[in-house]
Amino acid sequence: DGISLLSMIEGIETSRSGAIGFHCNGMQAWTENRYKIVRTIKTKKNPSREWELYDLLEDPFETNDLASTHPAIVERMEQAFTLWAESAQADEQKVLDRYHRSTNRSPRS
């Protein structure tokens, strides 16, 4: 579920046409052109299910968490992230089913 960023790299566009999600190594994020929500769901130090919210235009280094002052933005973005994550998980399962079927079958003689 990726998008090409080449037009941005080449300077043809200055913003993405849509949001993009990330889920890797216990981190989750949903990034729009202005806002980003992020949370750590697996860590030894400070696990949290709470989303942090950052205004990337005003705070590009993500130093000021706005989640408590803008809960409606967090909720809207969390809903979009959830839809994306469910779609990505379904796509991943299709790939596993298609390319790793041999692990589900009995060995051929």
Side-chain angles (χ1 to χ4, degrees):
D1 281 18
I3 60 171
S4 175
L5 299 176
L6 185 59
S7 62
M8 291 181 68
I9 293 168
E10 293 176 338
I12 297 168
E13 293 182 45
T14 58
S15 63
R16 290 185 305 275
S17 59
I20 188 168
F22 299 92
H23 178 93
C24 183
N25 295 327
M27 296 289 293
Q28 295 179 329
W30 184 251
T31 306
E32 298 175 344
N33 286 312
R34 180 170 188 164
Y35 294 107
K36 174 182 178 181
I37 56 172
V38 62
R39 68 180 171 185
T40 304
I41 59 170
K42 185 177 98 177
T43 181
K44 292 180 181 178
K45 292 184 179 181
N46 296 314
S48 173
R49 290 265 181 209
E50 299 299 318
W51 289 103
E52 297 171 15
L53 172 69
Y54 298 99
D55 183 334
L56 299 175
L57 298 179
E58 297 294 323
D59 180 21
F61 297 105
E62 301 174 19
T63 59
N64 186 23
D65 179 6
L66 303 172
S68 64
T69 57
H70 298 296
I73 294 173
V74 174
E75 183 177 342
R76 174 184 58 78
M77 292 180 72
E78 179 180 26
Q79 289 173 357
F81 173 85
T82 299
L83 290 174
W84 170 81
E86 289 171 354
S87 171
Q89 185 176 11
D91 288 346
E92 178 182 9
Q93 188 60 52
K94 288 177 191 173
V95 169
L96 290 173
D97 291 345
R98 180 173 180 178
Y99 295 105
H100 300 284
R101 282 185 279 189
S102 61
T103 60
N104 297 330
R105 296 189 208 162
S106 59
R108 294 184 191 183
S109 304

